[in-house]
């Protein structure tokens, strides 16, 4: 198997964690006789500085010409005063739109090794395994009109969905639920928003084609609470763009750290892979970043773009094993630090590489 991957490492901790993800991917590919063609391009704040735009034309062209794009993170405090369409984040949103993937899969699972790191009691999170399916190309993120009028002191965004946009992402969510525990919870605010009423009615319509999947609906405010009270009750959680952004960060509490969470965006021309954490400028360049979210994102590249299920599972297994052995990055060692071996970003990456190699060689 041959995969052409564009790496857009971006800002802050993006390059550090992406380096580790790439190194793990290379190790796994070479062991299996697969080849990876890697190209690197700028996106986000670094691209604003060097190219004057968060999404340079050559980055976009290379992305469209690849089999998969692996992104680190974008953003930085020095860009905070810029308008949304000039910021590093605009580069990522432009890339998402151009690649066309509308279904952003965000698995969030509790690992028993990390339970001590969660503020939730172990008996609440134990066994929690949720797959968020976040619609990624609609809603308030992309809706027009949008404006901040500084003279009048008025600002607005438009939360907008078409029925077809809901149908296509709902189908992805139902199909994934069929392969899991056959439960789907659709999140909306249908007691207040018309766009959510369309969302709910459309999801109910689509559900008719998936009679084996049990469908429930939750308002987003209630869901924010249920996720913390009873995360084990959920299997696939379907949300619009903004609600999914918020709830998926909240699910970092279930895993023990936001630094653990990967994502894959499918359904478009080229799949886009990104850990869900941000650029964390405060810890950038210090070797403190947790590369496991990026490494698990690499596993999703192999699963969804390479069709290499065994290799993807091996990376996921290696991450679990390394945690079982007591290795941690600082974000995972906030409680009981004395019981753990705290590693830097590169040391953690090397540990996963070594472990996945042993697993694949002995498989
Ligand atoms: C995420 C991030 C992005 C988003 C930002 C960086 C634009 O928060 O992937 O969750 O809001 O989608
Ligand atoms: Mg987010």
């Amino acid at each position: 198997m041959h995969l052409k991957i564009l790496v857009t490492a971006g800002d802050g901790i993006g390059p550090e964690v992406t380096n580790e993800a790439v190194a793990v991917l290379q190790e796994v590919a070479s062991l299996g006789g697969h080849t990876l063609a890697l190209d690197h391009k700028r996106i986000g704040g670094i691209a604003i500085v060097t190219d004057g735009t968060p999404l340079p034309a050559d980055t976009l062209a290379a992305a469209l010409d690849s089999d998969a794009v692996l992104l680190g993170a974008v953003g930085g405090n020095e860009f905070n005063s810029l308008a949304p369409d000039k910021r590093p984040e605009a580069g990522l949103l432009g890339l998402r739109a151009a690649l066309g993937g509308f279904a952003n899969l965000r698995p969030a699972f509790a690992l028993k090794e990390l339970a001590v790191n969660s503020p939730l009691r172990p008996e609440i999170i134990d066994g929690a395994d949720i797959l968020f399916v976040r619609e990624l190309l609609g809603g308030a993120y992309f809706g027009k009109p949008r404006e901040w009028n500084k003279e009048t002191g008025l600002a607005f965004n438009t939360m907008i969905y078409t029925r077809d946009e809901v149908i296509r992402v709902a189908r992805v969510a139902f199909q994934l639920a069929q392969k899991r525990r056959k439960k789907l919870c659709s999140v909306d605010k249908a007691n207040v928003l018309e766009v959510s009423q369309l969302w709910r009615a459309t999801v109910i319509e689509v559900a008719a084609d998936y009679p084996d999947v049990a469908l429930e609906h939750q308002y987003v405010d209630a869901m924010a609470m249920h996720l913390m009270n009873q995360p084990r009750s959920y299997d696939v959680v379907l949300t619009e763009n903004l609600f999914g952004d918020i709830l998926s960060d909240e699910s970092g509490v279930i895993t023990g750290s936001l630094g653990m969470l990967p994502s894959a965006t499918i359904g478009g021309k080229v799949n886009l892979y990104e850990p869900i954490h941000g650029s964390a400028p405060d810890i950038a360049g210090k070797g403190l970043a947790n590369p496991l979210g990026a490494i698990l994102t690499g596993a999703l590249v192999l699963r969804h773009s390479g069709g290499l299920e065994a290799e993807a599972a091996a990376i996921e297994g290696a991450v679990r094993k390394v945690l079982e052995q007591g290795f941690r990055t600082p974000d995972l060692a906030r409680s009981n630090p004395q019981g753990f071996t705290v590693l830097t970003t590169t040391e953690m990456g090397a540990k996963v590489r070594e472990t996945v190699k042993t697993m694949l060689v002995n498989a």
Side-chain angles (χ1 to χ4, degrees):
M1 204 259 332
H2 178 77
L3 262 186
K4 194 166 168 185
I5 302 177
L6 178 71
V7 180
T8 50
D11 306 320
I13 61 169
E16 298 159 62
V17 298
T18 308
N19 273 342
E20 300 313 317
V22 166
V24 170
L25 280 174
Q26 279 171 322
E27 180 78 57
V28 170
S30 75
L31 284 168
H34 307 291
T35 50
L36 301 179
L38 295 161
D39 188 7
H40 296 261
K41 294 282 185 212
R42 291 173 307 281
I43 195 167
I46 170 119
I48 294 177
V49 172
T50 55
D51 299 63
T53 165
L55 182 58
D58 63 325
T59 302
L60 184 55
L64 286 166
D65 189 41
S66 62
D67 300 315
V69 178
L70 178 62
L71 181 121
V74 294
N77 296 331
E78 62 272 44
F79 308 104
N80 283 349
S81 60
L82 296 179
D85 65 336
K86 303 275 183 290
R87 291 173 59 107
E89 290 82 352
L92 173 55
L93 296 179
L95 181 64
R96 287 177 181 170
L99 298 182
F102 55 84
N104 178 224
L105 315 184
R106 299 190 157 192
F109 38 81
L111 293 171
K112 69 175 185 326
E113 292 74 25
L114 296 183
V116 63
N117 207 54
S118 172
L120 299 177
R121 288 197 305 279
E123 66 268 29
I124 300 284
I125 53 173
D126 188 27
D129 175 7
I130 302 173
L131 177 60
F132 288 91
V133 179
R134 170 189 176 195
E135 200 293 328
L136 205 64
L137 292 185
Y141 274 67
F142 291 94
K144 289 194 177 110
R146 56 191 296 158
E147 186 183 319
W148 177 15
N149 186 322
K150 297 200 173 126
E151 272 86 68
T152 60
L154 178 78
F156 51 85
N157 289 90
T158 305
M159 186 187 266
I160 184 165
Y161 272 102
T162 65
R163 187 170 158 270
D164 287 348
E165 285 171 329
V166 183
I167 290 175
R168 65 181 187 175
V169 73
R171 288 204 180 284
V172 170
F174 276 105
Q175 282 158 18
L176 288 163
Q178 282 181 322
K179 294 193 213 132
R180 292 171 49 104
R181 302 194 304 280
K182 301 192 169 50
K183 283 180 11 174
L184 191 142
C185 177
S186 173
V187 175
D188 61 43
K189 189 70 187 173
N191 50 347
V192 175
L193 303 173
E194 284 79 0
V195 67
S196 278
Q197 293 186 323
L198 167 93
W199 181 278
R200 189 178 285 213
T202 308
V203 170
I204 290 172
E205 215 183 285
V206 172
D209 292 338
Y210 305 90
D212 53 330
V213 176
L215 172 65
E216 73 165 290
H217 306 274
Q218 289 291 348
Y219 297 136
V220 62
D221 51 348
M223 189 63 182
M225 182 182 65
H226 295 325
L227 272 176
M228 298 295 96
N229 272 334
Q230 41 174 8
R232 264 200 308 260
S233 313
Y234 300 99
D235 179 15
V236 175
V237 174
L238 171 65
T239 77
E240 66 91 47
N241 204 347
L242 180 59
F243 297 163
D245 180 47
I246 297 167
L247 294 181
S248 62
D249 263 36
E250 192 191 13
S251 68
V253 173
I254 300 168
T255 59
S257 170
L258 201 53
M260 292 300 299
L261 297 173
S263 92
T265 304
I266 63 170
K269 294 193 266 277
V270 179
N271 291 350
L272 172 64
Y273 299 86
E274 30 176 333
I276 85 158
H277 63 68
S279 60
D282 51 321
I283 59 163
K286 298 180 180 163
L288 298 173
N290 179 353
L292 296 177
I295 289 171
L296 292 169
T297 299
L300 297 184
V301 174
L302 297 184
R303 174 169 297 133
H304 295 283
S305 289
L308 299 175
E309 177 54 38
E311 286 81 352
I315 294 176
E316 290 162 350
V319 166
R320 261 193 307 272
K321 184 157 239 164
V322 163
L323 294 171
E324 260 164 45
Q325 292 167 342
F327 297 108
R328 298 288 186 276
T329 43
D331 58 310
L332 301 177
R334 282 188 294 251
S335 32
N336 187 27
Q338 60 280 26
F340 301 129
T341 311
V342 178
L343 303 180
T344 64
T345 309
T346 48
E347 287 167 348
M348 182 56 103
K351 205 38 102 182
V352 175
R353 259 181 352 256
E354 193 184 292
T355 309
V356 79
K357 185 172 175 186
T358 313
M359 288 171 67
L360 287 171
V361 169
N362 297 330

